């Protein structure tokens, strides 16, 4: 690799590295500021004389800190992955599997619901006026408020386990898919729709051959948003049920016992899971659009 390529890569990544470095410095400084009272009371008070170096070290190694230092989060994150079997509730991958199952099921259900609603809205003016305002209004209800209601209703009907959590994830998934699909299905120009009429194509043929291909560039960005929102919905659904597994349950357990390091490591895992799911949708988008361009 030549010098020019290295310089180009450095120019591209140096701002990112600079911002990460500044964020870490600020984080460590805040850890000292926020943890100092607890470190003095619980660690340094019994030692007698202590220096500012002792204070910094105590703040960065406190057992139950207000704000854990980045290295504490990293150590707990790695320890949960390598020190426990994958089927142990202490392993974060165990919780990823539980939350990921609810997320993916809710994403599939939300995508199907959003696609069906979009097709109905595009092909019927009555449904356009009747459904679209309610689709928008549904997102004004906070998911934290609707989750317990949905879980109680589904529980009374005998549904438990993954499905109730998937329904909450679906609630957050279907909206961006619906809005983007409606916009995409309406994107073909008038001359294109008139050409389909010239060929005596039915509505379903026009949908399959014209509207759906035109909607793909609109739908895939919405799918990336939807799958990340579905992850949030699945985690929120785990909170009111007192679930024993899942990243939301991991957060809840950490808050019960004041284990802030566990909370932050679970948040880190949730962020990585969200990035992985969004990246998978981006990869699927590239593959589908590349295959479509070749054909």
């Amino acid at each position: 690799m030549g010098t020019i390529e290295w310089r180009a890569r450095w120019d591209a990544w140096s701002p990112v590295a600079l911002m990460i470095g500044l964020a870490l410095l600020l984080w460590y400084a805040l850890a000292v500021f926020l943890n100092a009272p607890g470190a003095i009371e619980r660690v340094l008070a019994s030692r007698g004389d202590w220096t500012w170096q002792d204070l910094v070290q105590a703040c960065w190694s406190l057992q139950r800190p207000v704000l854990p230092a980045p290295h504490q989060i990293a150590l707990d994150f790695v320890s949960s992955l390598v020190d426990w079997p994958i089927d142990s509730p202490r392993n974060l991958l165990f919780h990823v599997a539980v939350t990921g199952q609810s997320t993916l099921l809710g994403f599939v259900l939300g995508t199907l619901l959003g696609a069906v609603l979009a097709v109905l809205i595009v092909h019927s003016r009555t449904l356009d006026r009747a459904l679209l305002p309610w689709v928008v209004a549904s997102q004004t209800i906070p998911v934290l408020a609707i989750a317990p209601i949905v879980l109680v209703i589904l529980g009374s009907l005998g549904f438990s386990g993954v499905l109730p959590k998937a329904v909450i994830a679906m609630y957050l998934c279907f909206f961006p898919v619906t809005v983007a699909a409606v916009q995409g299905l309406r994107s073909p120009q008038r001359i294109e729709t008139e050409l389909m009429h010239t060929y005596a194509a039915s509505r379903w043929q026009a949908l399959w051959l014209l509207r759906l291909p035109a909607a793909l560039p609109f739908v895939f960005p919405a799918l990336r948003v939807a799958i990340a929102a579905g992850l949030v919905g699945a985690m929120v659904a785990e909170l009111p049920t007192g679930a024993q597994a899942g990243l939301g349950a991991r957060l809840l357990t950490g808050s019960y016992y004041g284990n802030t390091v566990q909370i932050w490591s679970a948040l880190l895992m949730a962020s990585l899971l969200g990035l992985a799911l969004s990246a998978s949708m981006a990869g699927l988008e590239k593959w589908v659009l590349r295959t479509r361009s070749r054909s």
Side-chain angles (χ1 to χ4, degrees):
M1 187 177 294
T3 305
I4 297 178
E5 293 182 7
W6 278 111
R7 186 181 297 275
R9 290 195 175 188
W10 170 252
D11 291 340
W13 288 100
S14 57
V16 178
L18 177 62
M19 293 305 300
I20 292 175
L22 292 176
L24 288 175
L25 288 175
L26 179 61
W27 194 326
Y28 274 107
L30 284 175
V32 173
F33 177 76
L34 295 175
N35 298 334
I40 294 173
E41 180 181 354
R42 287 184 273 167
V43 179
L44 299 177
S46 59
R47 295 185 183 179
D49 295 334
W50 48 270
T51 63
W52 68 269
Q53 292 95 335
D54 297 326
L55 176 62
V56 170
Q57 184 178 4
C59 290
W60 289 349
S61 59
L62 205 60
Q63 288 294 325
R64 297 183 182 274
V66 176
L67 178 65
H71 68 271
Q72 290 180 289
I73 300 172
L75 290 174
D76 183 78
F77 182 86
V78 174
S79 175
S80 70
L81 298 180
V82 302
D83 294 342
W84 303 95
I86 196 171
D87 58 348
S88 171
R90 293 181 177 270
N91 193 314
L92 281 172
L93 292 178
F94 172 80
H95 299 283
V96 166
V98 174
T99 302
Q101 187 178 7
S102 304
T103 301
L104 292 177
L105 180 57
F107 171 72
V108 171
L109 294 176
T111 300
L112 292 176
L113 177 61
V116 170
L117 289 176
V119 171
L120 293 176
I121 289 170
V122 167
H123 286 89
S124 173
R125 291 185 179 181
T126 302
L127 292 178
D128 183 8
R129 297 176 180 177
L131 285 179
L132 196 56
W134 287 104
V135 169
V136 175
S138 69
Q139 300 305 300
T140 63
I141 305 174
V143 66
L144 283 173
I146 199 173
I149 299 173
V150 173
L151 294 173
V152 168
I153 293 174
L154 292 178
S156 65
L157 296 176
F159 295 102
S160 61
V162 175
L163 183 60
K165 294 184 290 184
V167 171
I168 303 301
M170 179 189 70
Y171 170 76
L172 293 181
C173 287
F174 89 95
F175 176 73
V177 176
T178 303
V179 174
V182 168
Q183 186 179 6
L185 292 174
R186 288 174 172 169
S187 63
Q189 298 179 0
R190 185 173 181 178
I191 189 173
E192 296 172 322
T193 58
E194 290 179 349
L195 181 61
M196 298 300 293
H197 287 301
T198 302
Y199 291 148
S202 65
R203 281 191 173 186
W204 292 110
Q205 289 174 323
L207 174 67
W208 182 255
L209 298 174
L210 176 63
R211 293 187 183 275
L212 284 180
L216 290 180
F218 295 85
V219 171
F220 274 111
L223 292 179
R224 295 200 298 269
V225 174
I227 200 167
L231 174 60
V232 174
M235 293 178 62
V236 169
E238 293 169 352
L239 301 180
T241 59
Q244 300 299 314
L247 292 174
R250 181 84 169 178
L251 292 173
L252 195 61
T253 303
S255 65
Y256 279 160
Y257 295 100
N259 192 342
T260 52
V261 179
Q262 176 179 307
I263 294 174
W264 280 95
S265 62
L267 286 174
L268 176 60
M269 179 58 80
S271 300
L272 294 176
L273 178 59
L275 289 174
L277 293 173
S278 298
S280 66
M281 293 308 305
L284 179 62
E285 176 184 8
K286 290 182 179 179
W287 179 78
V288 170
L289 294 181
R290 188 185 304 117
T291 304
R292 176 193 169 198
S293 62
R294 288 177 181 175
S295 60

